């Protein structure tokens, strides 16, 4: 942050909008995002002060309220899953029923069309299921990312699969593509959209017109997939937060 510039608060309250503020040294402008949990995040460059940020938020207030209303509708429609035998969990768009087994060489594995979890690990079922998705992503995604990078004439980037809060993916300033483990529940065509979106950020950091052209060129019909992804999010499983 420039000398003499007032330190930005971590949260900014404007009228009925509460905005979480993240200072991102690599950014050149302010980016407002309505997250999937119906919160608002402002990612800003270090030199921005609170007054300038408040003006931008005020100018986008109608858009923010419309997006917040849509997010709240998604939350209301969200499917609640229980970690009980017979519950269905998705992997790459296909549903598999959870089944507790009394024995087995692994704590959790996919076998014969069932997601088998050892009964003696039932107390940690949520953690094991998240770890299973993470491991699945680390196995499956690298070759897919490499293929899309080749299509887009980009170098094959480093890849991580991990929790990303309320983002499907992100592209680090060092060129690392980060993918949320929960995307492994999506159908492949929607997961491809997430990958192409993040790869496009290797060339275009912001969501400029050229960024969207790059996404559409690699993946015709990307706008339709983006809307399908928004709707699909309500059907994905996330661990309940106590």
């Amino acid at each position: 942050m420039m000398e003499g510039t007032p330190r930005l608060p971590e949260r900014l309250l404007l009228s009925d909008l509460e905005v979480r503020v993240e200072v991102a040294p690599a950014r050149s402008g302010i980016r407002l995002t309505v997250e999937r949990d119906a919160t608002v995040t402002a990612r800003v460059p270090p030199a921005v002060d609170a007054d300038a940020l408040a003006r931008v938020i005020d100018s986008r207030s109608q858009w923010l309220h419309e997006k917040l209303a849509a997010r709240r509708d998604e939350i209301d429609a969200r499917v609640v899953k229980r970690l009980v035998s017979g519950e269905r969990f998705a992997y790459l768009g296909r549903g598999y029923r959870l089944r507790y087994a009394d024995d087995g060489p692994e704590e959790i594995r996919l076998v014969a069309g069932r997601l088998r979890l050892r009964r003696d690990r039932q107390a940690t079922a949520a953690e094991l299921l998240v770890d299973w998705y993470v491991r699945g992503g680390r196995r499956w995604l690298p070759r897919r990312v490499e293929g899309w990078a080749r299509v887009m004439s980009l170098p094959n980037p480093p890849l991580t699969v991990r929790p990303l809060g309320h983002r499907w993916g992100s592209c680090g300033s060092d060129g690392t593509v980060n993918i949320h483990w929960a995307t492994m529940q999506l159908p492949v065509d929607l997961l491809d959209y997430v990958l192409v979106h993040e790869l496009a950020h290797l060339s275009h950091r912001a969501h400029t017109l050229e960024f969207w052209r790059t996404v559409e060129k690699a993946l015709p019909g990307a706008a339709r997939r983006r809307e399908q992804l928004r709707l699909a999010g309500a059907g994905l499983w996330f661990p309940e937060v106590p």
Side-chain angles (χ1 to χ4, degrees):
M1 187 169 290
M2 294 178 61
E3 187 177 352
T5 302
R7 183 180 177 85
L8 281 169
E10 292 184 356
R11 293 188 179 274
L12 199 61
L13 186 61
L14 297 172
S15 185
D16 58 344
L17 285 173
E18 183 177 359
V19 180
R20 184 165 60 93
V21 180
E22 292 182 0
V23 177
R27 289 206 62 80
S28 59
I30 296 170
R31 180 185 177 190
L32 298 176
T33 304
V34 178
E35 310 288 359
R36 292 202 312 278
D37 65 346
T39 60
V40 180
T41 302
R43 296 179 176 88
V44 305
V48 169
D49 61 33
D51 288 341
L53 177 56
R55 288 193 295 271
V56 172
I57 294 170
D58 184 63
S59 70
R60 303 292 304 281
S61 62
Q62 182 177 347
W63 176 83
L64 287 169
H65 281 100
E66 289 172 355
K67 291 289 287 184
L68 282 167
R71 290 298 193 204
R72 287 167 185 144
D73 287 344
E74 292 170 19
I75 290 171
D76 290 342
R78 186 162 294 165
V79 174
V80 176
K81 292 181 179 291
R82 297 181 300 154
L83 290 163
V84 297
S85 287
E87 186 67 274
R88 188 182 295 270
F89 293 86
Y91 182 75
L92 296 177
R94 295 187 60 183
Y96 299 94
R97 293 195 183 278
L98 180 66
R99 178 184 176 187
Y100 287 99
D102 291 325
D103 56 10
E106 300 173 62
E107 294 175 317
I108 183 170
R109 63 174 178 157
L110 188 61
V111 57
R114 294 288 186 271
L115 188 56
R116 291 170 57 95
L117 196 152
R118 282 214 327 246
R119 197 178 307 277
D120 61 349
R121 296 293 185 267
Q122 190 167 356
T124 58
E127 293 90 339
L128 289 171
L129 189 53
V130 169
D131 182 64
W132 181 75
Y133 280 120
V134 170
R135 288 185 284 112
R138 289 173 179 168
R139 287 193 307 269
W140 190 88
L141 285 170
R143 185 174 297 179
R144 199 78 178 182
V145 169
E146 182 181 8
W148 280 115
R150 190 163 52 247
V151 167
M152 300 169 74
S153 300
L154 295 167
N156 189 31
L159 173 73
T160 72
V161 182
R162 58 187 179 87
L164 288 174
H166 300 282
R167 291 178 289 171
W168 296 123
S170 68
C171 181
S173 58
D174 63 352
T176 298
V177 169
N178 309 295
I179 301 298
H180 198 307
W181 61 263
T183 63
M184 293 305 296
Q185 301 172 63
L186 294 168
V188 172
D189 62 331
L190 299 187
L191 184 46
D192 279 342
Y193 170 79
V194 175
L195 301 181
V196 169
H197 183 112
E198 299 310 330
L199 285 168
H201 279 307
L202 294 174
S203 302
H204 311 283
R205 300 303 301 178
H207 290 117
T208 60
L209 183 58
E210 193 58 36
F211 168 88
W212 293 115
R213 284 174 177 162
T214 298
V215 172
E216 185 68 26
K217 181 180 178 181
L219 197 64
R224 172 181 52 81
R225 297 194 200 201
R226 184 165 66 251
E227 176 61 16
Q228 290 174 336
L229 176 62
R230 184 184 70 81
L231 297 173
L236 302 190
W237 173 79
F238 293 89
E240 292 187 28
V241 178

